[in-house]
Amino acid sequence: MSEDVTDLIMQDHREVETLFEKLELEPEVRAGLTPVLVTLLSAHSRAEEAEVYPVARDEAGEAEDVAHSQEEHLLADRLLAELSECDPYSTAYENKLAEVVDAVSHHVEEEEKTVLPGMRDRLDDARRAELGQAFLKSRQEHLGEMPQDITRDEMRRQAANADIPAGDKDKEALRRELDQHADS
Ligand SMILES: [Fe+2]
């Protein structure tokens, strides 16, 4: 199995696409699979934000693409939290799932066109393997969490990735500030 962080990230993306398809086509699996989707994406995003985006910014010179990708994570987090509150048999669920699929598919496509190729070009194999280990470890620690479980420190990390000044804001103030930058 490849340990290259960019391959590991892309494996998760393909897994998420498979889950999207099931959730769209098979309403009977929604109650069981929605929490799986939400925690997988949430853990994936927290691990990227902690271990991958800071390196892509500082070592691969990708500040602008990382800031944009981070803003897309903010939107995805909000939509996933909303999806997890919807009755899986409701029209509201169908509409929210469509929003999640749109936002996340767009994000995945951009990340695979910008951030990941930049890391392959500018970081050597050993560094990408090292990041792969760090990504998996962090992802593992976050599996089971929902987007709402994010900590203040993790939100400060999001702000730094997106070039948003966090100052010494408390969690609620940070959430309001980050929400204003949630973008697709
Ligand atoms: Fe991402």
Side-chain angles (χ1 to χ4, degrees), residues 27-172:
E28 66 280 6
V29 303
R30 287 176 184 163
L33 268 196
T34 303
V36 174
L37 172 81
V38 174
T39 196
L40 173 62
L41 264 173
S42 189
H44 172 92
S45 294
R46 293 300 81 75
E48 272 190 339
E49 291 162 3
E51 304 295 345
V52 183
Y53 284 177
V55 176
R57 278 177 65 92
D58 299 340
E59 294 175 37
E62 302 191 275
E64 212 173 299
D65 289 332
V66 166
H68 182 65
S69 284
Q70 177 64 69
E71 289 179 354
E72 293 177 338
H73 278 196
L74 299 174
L75 176 66
D77 273 357
R78 187 165 77 201
L79 295 175
L80 287 165
E82 289 166 358
L83 182 72
S84 65
E85 301 291 313
C86 291
D87 170 352
Y89 294 99
S90 65
T91 314
Y93 180 99
E94 301 249 342
N95 294 339
K96 195 54 72 181
L97 179 64
E99 277 188 77
V100 168
V101 170
D102 263 12
V104 172
S105 304
H106 168 84
H107 168 72
V108 160
E109 196 185 322
E110 280 199 347
E111 200 174 79
E112 291 188 8
K113 265 196 217 147
T114 59
V115 179
L116 302 187
M119 295 181 77
R120 274 186 222 112
D121 284 350
R122 297 184 198 116
L123 304 177
D124 65 23
D125 292 359
R127 184 69 177 123
R128 293 200 314 280
E130 187 180 38
L131 288 173
Q133 289 302 316
F135 170 78
L136 284 182
K137 182 165 181 280
S138 174
R139 178 182 176 283
Q140 180 68 31
E141 284 165 5
H142 286 92
L143 278 174
E145 292 177 8
M146 295 282 136
Q148 303 90 312
D149 296 325
I150 192 165
T151 65
R152 178 170 177 265
D153 281 348
E154 286 162 351
M155 291 167 82
R156 289 175 62 83
R157 186 69 261 169
Q158 292 182 321
N161 288 338
D163 268 332
I164 300 165
D168 58 358
K169 288 189 174 71
D170 66 19
K171 207 175 160 184
E172 273 323 297

